[in-house]
Amino acid sequence: MKAGSIVGLTLTQSPRSDSSLSEGLVSFVNPWKIEVVFDEYRDVIELSDAHIYKLTKLSNDVTYRRLKSALEDLLEKSKSGPWQRLINTLFGIEDISIPGEYDSFKFGNKKLDDYQKEAVKFALNQKEIAIIHGPPGTGKTTTVVELIIQAVRQGLKVLVTAPSNVAVDNITERLGKYQVIDIIRIGHPARFLPQVRKHSLDFRIEEYLETSIRSDINNCLFLECMHFIYQAIEAACWIGILQGKRCVLAGDHLQLPPTILSREAAAEGLKITLMERLMKTVFEWKHNEVVKMLHIQYRMHQDIMAWSSETLYAGQLEAHHSVATHLLKDLKHVAVEYVEETNFPLLLIDTAGCDVPELNNPEEVSKANEGEVEIVVNRVEELISYGVKPSDIAVISPYNFQVKLIRLQLCSRYFDLEVKTVDGFQGREKEVVIISMVRSNLKSSVGFLAEIRRINVAVTRARRHLTVICDTATVCTDKFIKSMVDHLHKKGKIRSGNQYLVER
């Protein structure tokens, strides 16, 4: 169970077929406590000290019903009405309109770079659709926030949607700093970050008449901003798009798409996101008329950035001067005597020939590698001994089983250290990122490491230092991964895994 899970409350001895006494939403979880929010208007719960109760995680069909409703709505609105022009444009039935020429902008954020400013101007002048392509670290959120501010100044009403509550909360929190923006955060408050709950509809109703707020929300919204759209399936995007006449998509189709569990559904096209479809089909020959790319990245050392820039973004990324050469040695808490060990941005720990094969556990669908776990633990402790804070380190792996084993070794000692899957760390960053690639086998099988977008996300999470742990004999059978390993050999330091393994 996690925050946002739907749960049912029943007596412990109740059979599974019994209906719940009440259903609620998990709002907080830690090792000792679970907090559940129930609807006070519907659920009156009388608990007895004489009984023991249990919480059962319930399946959630709300998303499915919303997606189905959106597609039915799309079919209906495509026939006539103010949405028809936008719908036809997004399906390539009609051409895009000639953009407007509004150029009188007074930017709220004085630190925007020229590419970000141009993207904001471009999006506001488009009549139907604008795509802001933001590679890793280029400031997509910053650009979207400025776009919203400019739209509101023009008298437009803006609906901002994203596939995760965290993404929406992030934008809400940033917009909250601008008092001229009237924000209403829609959704269940239990799923919000505490600092944005004051913007929730429930909170606002306490200040204003509910009818006037709901009426304002239900009015036609003229600009639709999709943030982190590459993580949303297309059907989900239409929920928001059909509320407006104009659409702005912000994201990166070269980072991880949503996870599709059904192979059949993926094969039939569900894995293709709206942004990917538009850029590869509808607007393939009109890229400059619809897409603006952000080129300056504010996260990574230039050597960490260079590989993804050359292989995926046609060498168009540029490291901002504030991050281009920053290293671990520049952090205040890193000890001066360890400068030689903290003055390089890339490290490859190669386990080829170290006899650390991946585990073959028939009870686990996922993969793991105990030898790489040991290397991770020793590398983390080495970095901490140099003065790097655990809170500045993230360990990521493509495999859930590997994440579980690493957490067992590290998280009880270093509470601020993050250990997550690559998919779970998308959109995040740390000063140090350690990647455990896991795969090491005689068949040279790399499995879903062959997904180039997953590798792109993994590498581009690091700010000052990246350590990659892998068996090059196995993973380099994939051409894309080999290009990454070649870059590490060219720009980084190389060490054998035996340096981090206890004698066996």
Side-chain angles (χ1 to χ4, degrees), residues 171 214 261 295 304 475 485:
I171 297 178
R214 290 196 182 277
L261 299 179
H295 291 266
I304 300 175
V475 301
V485 172

Side-chain angles (χ1 to χ4, degrees), residues 138-414:
T138 54
K140 289 182 290 292
T141 303
T142 299
T143 306
V144 168
V145 167
E146 182 66 35
L147 172 59
I148 295 166
I149 293 169
Q150 295 296 331
V152 171
R153 285 178 178 174
Q154 290 187 18
L156 299 174
K157 293 177 181 175
V158 183
L159 173 64
V160 183
T161 65
S164 73
N165 282 290
V166 172
V168 178
D169 285 345
N170 189 16
I171 297 178
T172 303
E173 187 174 13
R174 293 205 192 186
L175 287 171
K177 298 175 183 177
Y178 297 87
Q179 296 183 358
V180 294
I181 304 291
D182 188 19
I183 310 164
I184 297 179
R185 173 70 165 94
I186 301 172
H188 199 300
R191 290 191 167 108
F192 302 169
L193 294 175
Q195 57 267 37
V196 304
R197 287 177 185 167
K198 62 184 178 182
H199 298 294
S200 69
L201 180 60
D202 291 38
F203 185 88
R204 297 295 298 277
I205 286 173
E206 295 177 8
E207 298 182 310
Y208 304 101
L209 292 175
E210 178 177 1
T211 53
S212 66
I213 291 180
R214 290 196 182 277
S215 174
D216 197 38
I217 291 173
N218 290 329
N219 285 337
C220 187
L221 299 160
F222 299 102
L223 178 64
E224 160 68 2
C225 289
M226 287 281 183
H227 189 238
F228 295 138
I229 192 146
Y230 51 86
Q231 291 177 289
I233 63 173
E234 178 166 346
C237 297
W238 284 103
I239 296 173
I241 292 173
L242 293 173
Q243 307 304 314
K245 302 174 185 176
R246 195 165 15 148
C247 176
V248 179
L249 309 181
D252 181 11
H253 61 295
L254 296 174
Q255 295 187 55
L256 279 169
T259 301
I260 308 298
L261 299 179
S262 168
R263 293 184 179 180
E264 182 180 357
E268 292 292 331
L270 193 63
K271 67 178 181 180
I272 301 173
T273 64
L274 175 60
M275 186 173 182
E276 183 180 8
R277 178 175 70 79
L278 292 176
M279 293 186 71
K280 291 185 176 180
T281 57
V282 180
F283 303 131
E284 184 178 9
W285 307 111
K286 299 181 179 179
H287 189 276
N288 292 335
E289 297 179 32
V290 181
V291 182
K292 285 294 178 185
M293 179 176 168
L294 306 178
H295 291 266
I296 299 178
Q297 69 85 19
Y298 299 84
R299 175 186 299 162
M300 296 166 274
H301 185 286
Q302 58 192 7
D303 289 348
I304 300 175
M305 174 204 73
W307 171 72
S308 62
S309 177
E310 292 297 329
T311 56
L312 293 173
Y313 302 104
Q316 296 184 70
L317 296 187
E318 175 188 345
H320 189 261
H321 65 83
S322 63
V323 302
T325 59
H326 68 178
L327 294 163
L328 288 179
K329 69 181 181 62
D330 302 321
L331 295 173
K332 292 180 180 179
H333 43 273
V334 172
V336 176
E337 59 265 33
Y338 296 114
V339 65
E340 291 298 320
E341 286 294 325
T342 55
N343 70 348
F344 52 91
L346 295 167
L347 172 65
L348 170 64
I349 301 178
D350 190 356
T351 66
C354 296
D355 191 26
V356 285
E358 65 192 61
L359 290 175
N360 288 311
N361 187 344
E363 296 181 3
E364 281 283 350
V365 176
S366 187
K367 301 288 184 181
N369 187 314
E370 291 178 311
E372 285 195 13
V373 172
E374 183 179 343
I375 294 170
V376 166
V377 171
N378 290 327
R379 177 58 178 159
V380 166
E381 292 181 338
E382 182 178 55
L383 288 165
I384 292 173
S385 72
Y386 299 153
V388 179
K389 295 179 180 179
S391 59
D392 285 336
I393 303 173
V395 179
I396 59 177
S397 175
Y399 296 97
N400 279 311
F401 191 15
Q402 183 76 346
V403 167
K404 186 191 302 183
L405 295 185
I406 295 171
R407 282 176 175 168
L408 287 172
Q409 293 292 323
L410 286 172
C411 290
S412 61
R413 286 183 284 164
Y414 307 111

Side-chain angles (χ1 to χ4, degrees), residues 10 30 127 285 453:
T10 58
N30 68 18
K127 299 292 179 64
W285 307 111
R453 291 173 292 189

Side-chain angles (χ1 to χ4, degrees), residues 456-470:
N456 182 33
V457 168
V459 169
T460 57
R461 300 307 95 197
R463 287 176 48 79
R464 299 171 188 265
H465 179 83
L466 173 70
T467 293
V468 177
I469 303 168
C470 67

